Every structure is written in C-alpha cells, then in structure tokens.
Amino acid sequence: KTSFLPREEEAQPSKCPDNSAFKQQRLPAWKPQLTIASVLSSFFLTGAFCLTVGVCLVLSANSVREIQVDYSDKCSDCSKLRENSSNWNKECHCSVNFTLKEDILGDVFMYYGLQNFYQNHRRYVISRSDAQLLGRNVNIQRSYCSPFSTYRNGTPMAPCGAIANSMFNDTIDLFYNRNSSMIQVPLLKTGNSWWTDKNVKFRNPESYNLSSAFAGTARPPYWQKPVYLLDEEDERNNGYVNDDFIIWMRVSAFATFRNLYRRVQRVRHFAEGLPAGNYTFQISYNFPVTRFKGRKHVILSTVVWSGGSNPFLGIAYLVSGTAATLTGFVITGIHLKLRKKKTYFQKQ
C-alpha cells in the first residue's frame, strides 16, 4: 500500500509497550479458592487468637496496683490564690494524707493527672518551635509560637509557644509516716523520658555554660524561673533536656491524661517497693485548674509487661475475637441450612 505520511512520521517508534509478561500483564497470579472449610477455619482461628490475647491483656491490666489521690479540693486555698495572676510569685503549700492498706511491691511510678485540660486543639499542638528545641539560633517570629514568641520589647521567649508556656509546674514530694516520724521517699527525676527525645529531639544551645547559652532570652510568661534553672542540681537534666519539660511537650490526645513525674528509688525502707502504712503528699501548688473546671491527681502505680492499668487494648481484642467467632457460627448455620435445602431438592 502507498503511504501518504511524511517520512519523519514513518520513522517514529511505536508507543505500544513491549511484548513482555510484565508490561502485557501476563504474570502468574494466585487466586485463592475459598471453600467453606478455609473460610470457617480462618474466622474461628482469628477469634480464638483474639480472645486468648484479650484475656491475657485484661488479666495483666487488672494485676496492676494503683492508688489515685485527687488534691484539687484538698488544696482549695492554694487554688484560690493561684487564680489571681498577680500572685504568681507567692508560694503556697498543702499536704494530702492517704493510707496504703497493702504493700505495693516492685517498681513504683508516680504520675500527675489532669482532667478537662484539652491539649488536642490544633492551634495549641502546633504552637512550638522544634528548631529552637534543638538548640538552633532561629527567628521564632516566623514560627507558630505566636503569641508566646516574643515580649513587647522584642525579647524572644525560650522556650516559645503555648505548650511550653502552660507546662505543669506543681512540685510533689512523698513522705512515709513511720513510728511518729516522717521519712521522705527518694524519687528519681531522670530517666523518665524517651531516649529519642532526650538525645535526638531536644538539645541545649552550645556554650561554655547554660546561662550564657540562653543569654538574650526570657522565660515564658507563666513560668516562675528561666529554662536554665529547671534543675540546678543536675546539669544533664537542665534546660531543654529536662525530663519534666520533655514529657510535657509530648501532648495528649484526650482531655483527661496522666504524665510520668517520678519513680520511687528502691533503697533502704523502700527496697521492695512501698510498704503499707500512712503517707503524705507535700505539694507546692502552682498550676491553676479552676478556670477551665479541671481536676488534678497524683497516681502511684506499678507496671506490667503490657504497660499500666489500661484495659482498653484487652477489651478491643475480646470484642474482635467475639465478633469473629460469632461470624463463624453464623456462616456455619447458613451453610448447613443451604446444604440441607440442596439435598432436599436433589431428592425431589
């Protein structure tokens, strides 16, 4: 046949894909043959697995020893004092007594709990400067820290942002009342944060000392002391790498949450844990909660292989296992009914 196309168009390569198994979609594929035996075995095995794991998780969560003390009302005088912002530099202390009826053996962890404090608001979550928390010299006015970025005179805040500004700052000490004497329970304030946070995500600015590293900056408005004085006793737990600060900066997804505060050091009278008896929390009250109708708690708890006292994961496994098992029985009933009907018509 005579071609009426120009020679240049005749020389163009074809746009068709190569004649290969991959490009022509001729690769072998596995198509499972679903039989009643394979379907039922999958449902029943999944149900048995989920039920077994769920029972183990629930029993593990129930074995956690925990005591929770609400000190919102017991420190009402301090709470009223803190509601007036002009009293920010006034100290207020209160005591809360409680009793342990049984020994709490093993490692004991102290948490502080907040209720009705919403950390999941979008503007709150992004109100931070990760570059600043890495010790870099950055212009925080270009970050999301506003309005907690600089003061009116232009002095930058360190650290900046709403998360850092609202940091929990109550001081909680635990005392054991033994033979009419009060023994302070030794508490560990380091080693409570994640290793990646302590060594990767948070770093102090480089300088010959910490106070000069933060020269030219000022503390957030709600703080009582600058960031380089968070822990004057331990240089490795000061500034941006302070454990309490790092833990607070990991925001919670729910309005009621708890954060790890201290760990009981297992020495002397507390080598096996916390013995039964009378105890006292000595609290330096600084964090106000009345305006947003919040509550504050102190929790003493142990942990197990599955974590703390939270049965949610175990309940989720139990619900999933029950649903899979019931689905298997329903499919079995439908199959038997259809097979009986098929046999009846075949006889007819």
Side-chain angles (χ1 to χ4, degrees), residues 68-114:
Q68 181 170 306
V69 177
D70 188 330
Y71 65 95
S72 304
D73 297 330
K74 297 179 181 179
C75 298
S76 57
D77 293 338
C78 291
S79 178
K80 294 178 181 178
L81 180 71
R82 285 288 169 257
E83 291 308 313
N84 188 349
S85 59
S86 61
N87 298 325
W88 67 271
N89 58 346
K90 296 181 180 179
E91 294 186 0
C92 189
H93 303 273
C94 59
S95 301
V96 180
N97 301 319
F98 66 98
T99 302
L100 286 182
K101 297 181 180 179
E102 298 179 357
D103 297 343
I104 301 182
L105 303 178
D107 295 329
V108 183
F109 299 82
M110 179 189 293
Y111 300 83
Y112 62 85
L114 289 177

Side-chain angles (χ1 to χ4, degrees), residues 126-130 132-133 138-141 143-150 156-165 218-221 223 240 245 249:
I126 65 175
S127 184
R128 57 186 293 165
S129 174
D130 291 321
Q132 184 194 46
L133 299 176
V138 295
N139 184 5
I140 61 175
Q141 291 183 344
S143 66
Y144 294 102
C145 289
S146 181
F148 302 103
S149 55
T150 59
M157 299 181 189
C160 71
I163 306 176
N165 183 58
R219 58 175 177 80
W223 284 30
Y240 291 152
F245 173 70
M249 293 300 291

Side-chain angles (χ1 to χ4, degrees), residues 114 117-121 124-125 163 247-259:
L114 289 177
F117 188 91
Y118 290 86
Q119 285 190 314
N120 55 5
H121 192 279
Y124 183 90
V125 171
I163 306 176
I247 292 173
W248 177 259
M249 293 300 291
R250 185 175 292 276
V251 297
S252 173
F254 301 99
T256 299
F257 62 92
R258 64 177 64 178
N259 284 335

Side-chain angles (χ1 to χ4, degrees), residues 192-204:
N192 301 325
S193 60
W194 293 11
W195 185 91
T196 52
D197 288 347
K198 187 84 171 182
N199 297 275
V200 179
K201 296 180 65 176
F202 293 82
R203 293 182 182 178
N204 286 323

